[in-house]
Amino acid sequence: MGLGKLLHSHREHADEGGVIERPRAYEVVAELAYLGGRRAAFTRLAAAARPRPGDRVLDVGCGTGYLSRILSPVSGHVTGLDPSPAMIAHATERAPSNCTYVVGEGQDLPFPDGSFDLVVSSLAMHHMPREARPEALRQMFRVLRPGGRLLIAEFSPPSGHLARRLVGLLTGPAMRHDPHELLGSMIPDAGFQVTDEGRLPHLMYYVRATRP
Ligand SMILES: C[S@@+](CC[C@H](N)C(=O)[O-])C[C@H]1O[C@@H](n2cnc3c(N)ncnc32)[C@H](O)[C@@H]1O
């Protein structure tokens, strides 16, 4: 059994990560997966999002709120959204005073148009149903103000066949994806202007974009 089966309660297809219902198990797996480097990896990722003081930030697929807690001291207010009530409860219990958490889906964001300056989403696109991903990006576009910024981060599996199989065995097929294939042209198709993309340590790949 892959670790994925321990964490996910339901998903439509094996290559979709699905909704995670076990926050404590997720935290243990995440700490182990980063071999002690999770804090450093997410601090780098938060810096790549280039938060500014006063920013209204939305974290889509926030899970246990790990990234939003790192973003909170350098932003105005951070809202985290996840379809899992258990993940949202876990995040809420640990919320700094400028973070709030909401149960909801990326493809149906319950926020008014233009209500955020920065939208981030880490390791969450591959958890959404495949057919919901383009709409999730359109929703992120809608809730950003003109000039607002987007950072999407995905796991970038190792290129070697064996290493990739090992990752798949440990975590399930959803983590074996190539992030370029996963995202395709969905970000520009949603209306964004892609500014750059890059890689960070710990097999992290990101795309930065702006809403014109
Ligand atoms: C691997 S976790 C990443 C959590 C967090 N962003 C992080 O980097 O630690 C993926 C998260 O996506 C959530 N998710 C699943 N389907 C989703 C959807 N349709 N919209 C938003 N998030 C979703 C899962 O419940 C899970 O908490």
Side-chain angles (χ1 to χ4, degrees), residues 7-179:
L7 302 173
H8 307 124
S9 67
H10 58 274
R11 49 184 164 181
E12 293 300 315
H13 303 283
D15 64 347
E16 292 168 2
V19 178
I20 296 184
E21 300 289 6
R22 298 181 177 85
R24 284 175 196 280
Y26 179 77
E27 283 297 297
V28 171
V29 170
E31 290 296 338
L32 289 174
Y34 285 95
L35 302 170
R38 187 182 182 202
R39 184 86 197 170
F42 276 76
T43 301
R44 292 279 296 270
L45 188 59
R50 297 181 177 156
R52 299 172 189 160
D55 267 354
R56 298 159 299 166
V57 181
L58 173 65
D59 181 1
V60 177
C62 65
T64 55
Y66 195 83
L67 177 61
S68 58
R69 285 193 295 279
I70 294 175
L71 283 166
S72 71
V74 285
S75 315
H77 188 274
V78 188
T79 304
L81 171 133
D82 200 283
S84 165
M87 295 296 250
I88 290 298
H90 184 101
T92 302
E93 279 163 23
R94 293 155 181 79
S97 59
N98 64 338
C99 291
T100 43
Y101 295 96
V102 179
V103 175
E105 293 182 316
Q107 63 271 34
D108 187 20
L109 293 177
F111 309 109
D113 296 359
S115 47
F116 295 97
D117 305 294
L118 172 64
V119 172
V120 299
S121 186
S122 71
L123 311 178
M125 290 302 293
H126 73 275
H127 276 258
M128 299 179 193
R130 265 176 288 178
E131 65 281 3
R133 294 170 191 166
E135 181 57 25
L137 282 160
R138 287 194 287 271
Q139 288 285 311
M140 294 179 205
F141 184 90
R142 180 184 67 74
V143 302
L144 271 173
R145 66 165 170 79
R149 294 110 59 214
L150 174 76
L151 177 109
I152 299 287
E154 273 298 327
F155 182 64
S156 174
S159 48
H161 180 69
L162 271 178
R164 205 176 264 242
R165 272 192 70 84
L166 182 64
V167 166
L169 275 174
L170 283 172
T171 61
M175 290 285 271
R176 280 196 310 224
H177 62 258
D178 173 329

